[in-house]
Amino acid sequence: MQSTLAYAQQLDKEDTLSHFRERFFIPQKNGKDVVYLCGNSLGLQPRTVSAYIQEELDKWQQAAVLAHHDGKNPWMYYHKLFTAPLAKLTGALESEVVCMNQLTVNLNLLLVSFYRPTATRYKVLMLNPEFPSDVYAVQQQAKFHGFNAQDAIVEVAPRLGESYIRTQDMLAAIETHKDELALVMLSAVNYYSGQLLDIETISKKCCEHKLIFGLDLAHAIGNVPLKLHEWNIDFATWCSYKYLNSGPGGVSGIFIHEYHHANMDIPRFGGWWGNSESIRFLMQKEFVPMQGAEGWQQSNAPILSMAAHMASLNIFEQAGMENLRKKSLKLTAFTAFLLNEKFKNSTQKVEIITPESPEERGCQLSIRVAENGKELFQKLMQQGFICDWREPDVIRIAPVPLYNTFTDVWNFSQALL
Ligand SMILES: Cc1ncc(COP(=O)(O)O)c(C=O)c1O
């Protein structure tokens, strides 16, 4: 690799996915495209989104309630359009996924079903740091079951002076606490460090001790290939507004492993959209949940936000997750190389805290800036480099293979220091 603009431009020329950038609106600053490195927070808008939403607005305008059953993509079954693409992105059977609600809402619904504490087994193993929403959800669920939230969460943290967790430490923690754990609840890609956990190995350990293993895929879906079914994950949920580019507050999805589908004793919150399709409109009192993930639905589908999601998923279908991952590995490795070249010659204490190994990370790189990090972040933003800041000392960037270029990250590396 070379740290020159010419080399970055050459990589862009060789990039067979480069034309996908044209499918997105790139925000502007002072008449120029910004360098958008924030797809780990909110992905860019696909140019097709408004047409997809307009199509549903037209149906509403022209057919209104009849659009639930008639015409193209009737709303009654709209969520089913998402099953195949989401199953592909998560490595699931189609019966294992459904598109619904928002991430934290879904996490709470899944905890209702899969966090089943007893007097001796009530603890939840989580990583520290974990995204606060997940922590709040678990804390409140523990409280709801009558436990002390502080006591109910077992935190595993990176070793002193290290920035991400060693798999061996995660496995050791599971082993140590196995008899008191009701659940292992992790983010597949950590929001702070960008670490991609060795989910398969952790899952094997959970299976060995018959522990329920749940995943938050907010930073993983559309970023790294997933095999939830094969890895025997019990449940998972995600959002669609980061790497899936489906718009602010975009609709979420859930995964529930097939081996839970026949078990009707699993407690769940009920709602009419989870009720069996054949009797949903009979307005009976009896709740007969659908088999599979669809049986966890609550409400009828939010069609307008789901239309945006469909526009984006179609781009993923065309690009292919494997191709995207291939480019992502190259793009993030190039970014890390450029940054490290800069850091070598800098007097500032700056370092990448994301794992170096490509198998242990997705797009994101987290840059720890020991002094005046926030000022540096603000300077970058003013210059049109859109990244984000995470307290206490990290600038996060995510070169996204669908719309970022090798020249983007070269420009960022020049502006950083
Ligand atoms: C890892 C993780 N979990 C949960 C959430 C909360 O998502 P929502 O507001 O969609 O519930 C986020 C939001 O960024 C996140 O990054």
Side-chain angles (χ1 to χ4, degrees):
M1 274 189 270
Q2 295 165 32
S3 56
T4 62
L5 176 59
Y7 185 75
Q9 288 168 335
Q10 182 58 32
L11 291 177
D12 280 326
K13 255 194 219 145
E14 291 165 8
D15 173 15
T16 55
L17 297 179
S18 61
H19 59 285
F20 279 100
R21 178 177 168 87
E22 291 154 24
R23 308 276 195 99
F24 293 87
F25 287 108
I26 312 287
Q28 303 273 303
K29 190 173 169 83
N30 302 330
K32 270 175 54 191
D33 286 354
V34 300
V35 173
Y36 194 81
L37 295 170
C38 220
N40 56 337
S41 182
L42 181 71
L44 291 180
Q45 183 184 137
R47 287 179 181 270
T48 45
V49 158
S50 50
Y52 275 70
I53 295 178
Q54 190 59 51
E55 193 173 345
E56 300 311 319
L57 288 173
D58 291 346
K59 282 158 67 179
W60 180 21
Q61 191 181 83
Q62 289 148 27
V65 73
L66 301 181
H68 278 295
H69 292 279
D70 300 338
K72 189 180 164 197
N73 300 333
W75 295 335
M76 165 89 175
Y77 308 105
Y78 200 78
H79 62 275
K80 290 182 192 289
L81 300 172
F82 297 80
T83 307
L86 289 176
K88 244 196 233 172
L89 285 173
T90 55
L93 304 180
E94 293 194 4
S95 62
E96 291 175 321
V97 292
V98 69
C99 180
M100 63 181 207
N101 305 329
Q102 310 291 299
L103 197 172
T104 309
V105 171
N106 282 339
L107 181 56
N108 273 301
L109 292 173
L110 291 165
L111 290 172
V112 164
S113 295
F114 295 102
Y115 175 53
R116 311 279 305 281
T118 66
T120 51
R121 264 182 186 270
Y122 60 92
K123 298 200 176 184
V124 183
L125 189 127
M126 300 183 86
L127 190 61
N128 181 17
E130 180 52 274
F131 196 80
S133 202
D134 298 39
V135 178
Y136 305 151
V138 172
Q139 282 174 348
Q140 296 309 311
Q141 293 267 342
K143 249 172 118 173
F144 174 76
H145 286 283
F147 297 98
N148 174 302
Q150 254 67 47
D151 177 43
I153 298 179
V154 177
E155 284 183 342
V156 192
R159 293 182 187 187
L160 205 65
E162 297 187 5
S163 306
Y164 52 88
I165 191 75
R166 298 186 189 196
T167 306
Q168 69 194 85
D169 290 355
M170 181 64 76
L171 299 181
I174 296 173
E175 197 63 49
T176 305
H177 297 282
K178 62 182 186 293
D179 295 327
E180 47 187 11
L181 288 178
L183 173 67
V184 175
M185 181 70 230
L186 300 170
S187 283
V189 173
N190 185 264
Y191 84 99
Y192 189 74
S193 68
Q195 180 183 19
L196 166 60
L197 294 177
D198 183 350
I199 296 300
E200 188 175 9
T201 301
I202 297 167
S203 184
K204 278 188 187 142
K205 176 59 79 183
C206 290
C207 287
E208 191 184 316
H209 298 303
K210 296 194 167 44
L211 294 171
I212 297 281
F213 185 20
L215 286 178
D216 177 335
L217 302 176
H219 290 266
I221 193 163
N223 178 12
V224 293
L226 298 163
K227 295 183 182 168
L228 300 187
H229 178 83
E230 192 182 313
W231 294 337
N232 291 312
I233 305 308
D234 290 285
F235 69 89
T237 183
W238 55 87
C239 58
S240 66
Y241 45 79
K242 298 179 187 293
Y243 295 100
L244 293 187
N245 310 311
S246 299
V251 66
S252 166
I254 64 163
F255 164 91
I256 293 175
H257 201 284
E258 188 186 30
Y259 49 59
H260 295 298
H261 293 186
N263 183 359
M264 290 296 157
D265 293 334
I266 295 177
R268 68 178 95 191
F269 284 175
W272 72 322
W273 230 249
N275 202 26
S276 181
E277 241 163 55
S278 57
I279 57 166
R280 193 176 291 158
F281 284 86
L282 297 183
M283 302 302 173
Q284 294 168 343
K285 283 193 180 151
E286 192 192 1
F287 178 52
V288 187
M290 308 265 296
Q291 277 261 338
E294 282 190 46
W296 267 262
Q297 292 175 103
Q298 306 286 303
S299 297
N300 74 99
I303 301 297
L304 299 182
S305 75
M306 281 168 85
H309 193 22
M310 182 52 67
S312 172
L313 287 180
N314 282 344
I315 297 176
F316 270 87
E317 285 281 292
Q318 288 160 34
M321 193 58 225
E322 299 216 332
N323 298 330
L324 289 169
R325 175 62 170 165
K326 246 191 238 165
K327 174 174 170 186
S328 170
L329 287 169
K330 223 169 155 180
L331 186 57
T332 293
F334 183 56
T335 314
F337 165 76
L338 293 174
L339 296 181
N340 285 326
E341 287 292 299
K342 281 269 165 186
F343 299 164
K344 266 199 281 191
N345 305 316
S346 170
T347 49
Q348 281 206 44
K349 276 178 75 184
V350 195
E351 59 173 341
I352 296 173
I353 61 162
T354 309
E356 232 180 284
S357 153
E359 297 89 57
E360 290 182 85
R361 66 186 183 201
C363 299
Q364 181 182 323
L365 292 175
S366 301
I367 305 163
R368 176 176 285 147
V369 189
E371 284 157 20
N372 306 321
K374 207 156 188 179
E375 284 79 0
L376 176 59
F377 161 70
Q378 279 157 354
K379 183 196 91 175
L380 287 164
M381 293 289 280
Q382 270 162 16
Q383 293 177 356
F385 294 94
I386 310 299
C387 41
D388 72 7
W389 171 255
R390 282 293 170 264
E391 295 293 347
D393 54 6
V394 158
I395 294 173
R396 299 189 308 177
I397 57 166
V400 168
L402 267 175
Y403 49 74
N404 282 123
T405 64
F406 291 86
T407 305
D408 275 347
V409 297
W410 187 85
N411 283 328
F412 176 82
S413 73
Q414 300 306 299
L416 184 67
L417 291 177

